[in-house]
Amino acid sequence: MREIKNNSFRGLENLTTVNFVGNSQLNSIGKYAFADCANLKNITLPNTINEVPAGAFENCIELENISIPSSVTKIGAQAFCGAEKLAFSSIPSGVTEIGNFAFFGCKGNSSIYIPSEITLIGDGAFAAISDVSAFAVSAENAN
């Protein structure tokens, strides 16, 4: 499989894990592809994709863990919006752009680290993350 289209798995309440293993040929995930999968807890994305598109995992309220590969350069608008339990401490070093409200309401974080490659952080990208006590930007980020 090379592509997952927009809304393909949207709202699948019993889906708990998404894992692309081995020599995955996936190179594109559509907008809102896994949105509203209320019980999705774990995601491992393949290193063959370069974007987490708009709303891809929006409102996955049980989402706790995601492995974003270094091949990803863009995290789209609302990609993880409403994923209340999502915990991450750093954005992968390959990411250059974080869309509007990408991590809005992801409350499982105590710290956030922004790497040097980031050139754009959209409106409200990290808004409503109530547990953050530390926010750091790479000293090498001239953007």
Side-chain angles (χ1 to χ4, degrees):
M1 175 173 50
R2 295 187 188 280
E3 180 180 12
I4 296 174
K5 297 280 192 177
N6 296 346
N7 298 294
S8 290
F9 299 98
R10 188 174 195 155
L12 294 183
E13 293 184 15
N14 294 323
L15 184 64
T16 60
T17 302
V18 174
N19 191 7
F20 298 94
V21 295
N23 295 325
S24 175
Q25 299 297 311
L26 184 69
N27 59 30
S28 175
I29 296 174
K31 294 177 181 176
Y32 303 94
F34 295 94
D36 303 316
C37 292
N39 291 302
L40 183 59
K41 291 184 181 196
N42 300 293
I43 305 162
T44 300
L45 297 174
N47 62 5
T48 52
I49 64 166
N50 61 14
E51 178 181 359
V52 178
F57 301 98
E58 182 179 41
N59 295 324
C60 292
I61 58 175
E62 294 296 323
L63 184 59
E64 296 174 352
N65 300 300
I66 182 156
S67 175
I68 300 174
S70 60
S71 59
V72 170
T73 59
K74 179 180 179 182
I75 298 174
Q78 298 172 296
F80 300 101
C81 180
E84 296 177 358
K85 295 183 180 180
L86 181 61
F88 62 93
S89 58
S90 66
I91 305 300
S93 62
V95 174
T96 60
E97 182 177 332
I98 300 172
N100 297 342
F101 303 99
F103 293 98
F104 182 92
C106 297
K107 298 177 182 174
N109 297 286
S110 61
S111 65
I112 298 171
Y113 176 75
I114 303 296
S116 61
E117 294 81 2
I118 295 287
T119 58
L120 174 70
I121 296 176
D123 293 339
F126 297 100
I129 301 179
S130 58
D131 296 337
V132 172
S133 60
F135 182 85
V137 177
S138 170
E140 295 155 9
N141 189 322
N143 302 307

